[in-house]
Amino acid sequence: MSPLECDTSPGSGLLKDFSLEITGKDLRDLQQAVAGIPRGTRVNITFLANEDASVRVHAAEVIKNLGFRPVPHISARRLASREELGSYLAALAAVGATEDVVVVAGDPAQPAGPFEDSLAVLTGGDLTAYGVRSVDIAGYPEGHPKIPDEVLWQAIRDKTEALRAQELSYAIATQFGFDAGAVVRWIERLRGEGIDAPVRIGVPGPAGVQRLLRYAKRFGVSSSASVVQKYGFSLTGLLGTAGPTRFIADLQSAIDPAVHGEILVHFYTFGGVRATAEWVRTARAE
């Protein structure tokens, strides 16, 4: 089926196996949204600087008990020692939550310990020792404000090689963005690099426009007038809300599995788990 022949409704294709991202503070919201989220859904747990590891471990346990698949983040530069990483993985293993993880470098400019970047964690041998079987690594379809594009591409190549060498399953989870065209072009280059792993496209869940713009600024995501207009909201309508309907429809119309491979959607909920779950439930029913 060619891209132009694809069903472009938001409920088709891309939403068949979505994932969510929450913080340890979002558990109550997640519990209240359980009925609207398919069992087995992947739920990522962010690695916040102001949260103790026990908060993330507790979140992973709750997520698993709710019938979902916990996917804890590991932030390389926030780890003060290899012992801290081992302790964290051991605690996650104790609640059955190490099979799937996300490994990122993290925001600090200087590492708190021995891990300079995510590659250092991936090659250290700690992950497989604690039962990790699948790893998500980061991708930046619209670039990174502090890292040159070619450095980002080399990082993906290096991490892919390291994961393949350990025979670990892996996928690439992207930063959220507003420009579907940029995402598709990035996927095409990724496939051109010979990287055929599944890609989880980061998408903001429905939220207030001001909140979306704040997060965009925080994470260096382009939010120019032309880009956000494509997404479906105007900078003059700051008091309104915006959802991902147009963005996902644009992706759906452009994605051809024969060319782009396995493409999934990963929702950044930004504290709105119930709103995101309801949006997905409605879109999948259309």
Side-chain angles (χ1 to χ4, degrees), residues 13-17 183 186-187 190-191 197-201 251-252 255-257 260-265:
L14 292 177
L15 296 180
K16 290 180 179 178
D17 185 16
V183 171
W186 179 85
I187 294 171
L190 187 75
R191 300 318 188 202
V199 177
R200 307 184 200 281
I201 300 300
L251 277 180
Q252 186 71 54
I255 294 297
D256 178 358
H260 301 102
E262 185 177 6
I263 307 299
L264 308 166
V265 173

Side-chain angles (χ1 to χ4, degrees), residues 163-193:
L163 291 163
R164 287 173 175 171
Q166 297 174 75
E167 299 184 342
L168 285 166
S169 297
Y170 73 101
I172 301 170
T174 78
Q175 178 58 278
F176 77 91
F178 300 121
D179 188 344
V183 171
V184 173
R185 291 190 294 274
W186 179 85
I187 294 171
E188 289 170 350
R189 174 165 178 182
L190 187 75
R191 300 318 188 202
E193 294 274 347

Side-chain angles (χ1 to χ4, degrees), residues 50-69:
N50 58 356
E51 278 184 353
D52 186 80
S54 62
V55 174
R56 297 187 291 277
V57 173
H58 173 65
E61 184 175 22
V62 170
I63 289 166
K64 189 176 181 67
N65 289 340
L66 289 173
F68 304 133
R69 192 170 171 179

Side-chain angles (χ1 to χ4, degrees), residues 31-139:
Q31 289 167 323
Q32 293 174 343
V34 165
I37 304 172
R39 290 182 63 84
T41 295
R42 294 170 62 96
V43 181
N44 291 17
I45 308 153
T46 57
F47 195 118
L48 298 181
N50 58 356
E51 278 184 353
D52 186 80
S54 62
V55 174
R56 297 187 291 277
V57 173
H58 173 65
E61 184 175 22
V62 170
I63 289 166
K64 189 176 181 67
N65 289 340
L66 289 173
F68 304 133
R69 192 170 171 179
V71 187
H73 283 214
I74 298 171
S75 181
R77 294 193 189 112
R78 296 194 188 282
L79 296 167
S81 65
R82 187 170 296 277
E83 290 72 26
E84 182 181 351
L85 173 59
S87 176
Y88 182 41
L89 289 170
L92 289 169
V95 299
T98 54
E99 185 172 345
D100 306 281
V101 299
V102 179
V103 180
V104 297
D107 294 333
Q110 297 298 323
F115 301 108
E116 181 180 0
D117 52 26
S118 54
L119 183 63
V121 171
L122 296 176
T123 57
D126 304 85
L127 299 182
T128 53
Y130 287 94
V132 173
R133 297 292 175 263
S134 177
V135 179
D136 281 8
I137 58 176

